[in-house]
Amino acid sequence: GLFDGEVWVAEINGNVVGFIAFVPDEITWLYTDPSYFRKGIATVLVKAAMEKCEDIITLEVLSENHPALTFYEKLGFRKVKLVQGKLSGNEDYPAAGYIMEYKKDKNGK
């Protein structure tokens, strides 16, 4: 289900450097090529998706992924719940992750 919604791709000089997948109320996937980290690509992708999403947007981040948690918090997402369980497709390993949420203001931003 990660790619059931829209998928947008970021390219530089014809090379794919990142992508985002989302449905109206959730960002389901975000990836940036590590050689393009901290160049604003993920920020542009997330902000563009947020404009298309509903007033409340959720996403999930593994609890140990501190760079991702910090990134989303800077964009206004807040941790709302810690969930523990097994990773889909990798059920042998327990995992913990945060459900994060963003609420748009009255102006839709």
Side-chain angles (χ1 to χ4, degrees), residues 9-54:
V9 175
E11 294 182 13
I12 295 178
N13 298 324
N15 296 313
V16 174
V17 296
F19 68 88
I20 190 166
F22 63 97
V23 293
D25 63 346
E26 181 181 15
I27 294 173
T28 57
W29 193 265
L30 175 66
Y31 174 80
T32 304
D33 181 316
S35 60
Y36 289 90
F37 279 1
R38 293 185 168 54
K39 302 211 184 288
I41 293 164
T43 300
V44 168
L45 287 169
V46 171
K47 286 183 175 182
M50 289 170 69
E51 287 183 20
K52 295 289 186 180
C53 287
E54 296 175 355

Side-chain angles (χ1 to χ4, degrees), residues 23-26 49-58 75-77 100-109:
V23 293
D25 63 346
E26 181 181 15
M50 289 170 69
E51 287 183 20
K52 295 289 186 180
C53 287
E54 296 175 355
D55 290 343
I56 298 176
I57 308 162
T58 62
L75 290 174
F77 284 85
M100 300 184 79
E101 182 178 85
Y102 179 89
K103 292 183 181 180
K104 293 183 180 179
D105 63 20
K106 293 177 186 175
N107 299 319
K109 297 187 181 211

